[in-house]
Amino acid sequence: KISLTKEAEEKVKASRDVIDQIVKENRVVYGITTGFGKFARTVIEKDKLKELQENLIRSHAAGVGRALTPQKTRMLLALRINVLAKGYSGVSPGTLRQLIDAFNASCLSWVPEQGTVGASGDLAPLSHLALGMMGEGQMWSPATGWGDAKYVLESHNLTPISLNAKEGLALINGTQLITSIGAEATERAGIIAK
């Protein structure tokens, strides 16, 4: 089971407070109050910030192939939680708690084996991970097997995450799939070397 330290909770809250202040002050900041890439200079209205983040997840959930095993997906989620708990991403404490609750209940999103860009980021796999947590796509748990993410979460008395400003970007900006595959390969190599 995963739990947050008091120090981690404080760092996550302080980071989120910065994001909320940016939105409150109507400041123009990339990925928080603007679009992405070609739309970096497009300011997004406050009432559209949630939709922007949700659509970012949906548009990048474009991986292919078989699903990662539950063990690999669990490792991926644990590593993502670890990064978010450091307090640099701007994710809200509530969203982070929901990810931890899903991990502790072994509610694991369908994440395809192919689609990572590697060193440039695991945008597609992390988007699939986030998509399930949003209650969209497929999800697995030992109690339910594979099913619609919304219903798998509900069967564990969990609710889908609802993204606020910058949270979609926070959830997918990282290399935790490559890290988890590398960690597993290192562990297996150590076993073989013995």
Side-chain angles (χ1 to χ4, degrees):
K1 298 243 180 215
I2 291 177
S3 61
L4 286 180
T5 65
K6 185 70 173 159
E7 179 185 9
E9 288 177 4
E10 290 169 0
K11 286 181 177 180
V12 169
K13 184 183 180 319
S15 178
R16 184 65 211 177
D17 288 346
V18 170
I19 303 301
D20 291 341
Q21 193 63 33
I22 288 168
V23 173
K24 182 180 177 184
E25 294 173 358
N26 293 311
R27 290 176 31 209
V28 177
V29 178
Y30 177 82
I32 299 174
T33 56
T34 73
F36 309 100
K38 183 169 113 174
F39 300 103
R41 296 182 187 271
T42 303
V43 177
I44 309 299
E45 295 176 32
K46 279 185 187 180
D47 65 341
K48 298 288 186 183
L49 294 177
K50 174 182 171 49
E51 183 180 0
L52 174 71
Q53 298 301 313
E54 291 171 344
N55 286 339
L56 176 68
I57 299 299
R58 293 176 184 129
S59 70
H60 282 70
V64 296
R66 296 179 306 181
L68 293 175
T69 63
Q71 296 83 2
K72 286 182 181 175
T73 305
R74 189 168 167 80
M75 186 185 306
L76 173 63
L77 180 55
L79 288 170
R80 194 69 204 137
I81 289 168
N82 180 59
V83 167
L84 296 171
K86 295 186 184 310
Y88 300 117
S89 70
V91 72
S92 69
T95 295
L96 182 54
R97 276 191 295 277
Q98 286 179 277
L99 294 175
I100 292 169
D101 290 344
F103 177 89
N104 290 338
S106 291
C107 293
L108 305 170
S109 301
W110 181 85
V111 179
E113 290 180 327
Q114 299 172 27
T116 183
V117 185
S120 296
D122 293 332
L123 298 175
L126 289 173
S127 291
H128 282 281
L129 186 70
L131 191 69
M133 298 300 167
M134 289 168 49
E136 299 180 24
Q138 297 290 300
M139 184 172 268
W140 178 91
S141 83
T144 64
W146 286 105
D148 290 338
K150 179 180 176 184
Y151 299 117
V152 173
L153 289 169
E154 285 176 3
S155 74
H156 292 276
N157 297 314
L158 301 173
T159 57
I161 59 176
S162 178
L163 301 178
N164 295 305
K166 194 182 180 289
E167 288 194 301
L169 193 58
L171 292 177
I172 69 171
N173 192 12
T175 56
Q176 284 67 53
L177 179 63
I178 293 298
T179 304
S180 66
I181 291 169
E184 182 185 40
T186 301
E187 183 179 350
R188 286 196 339 238
I191 292 168
I192 292 169
K194 290 181 181 180

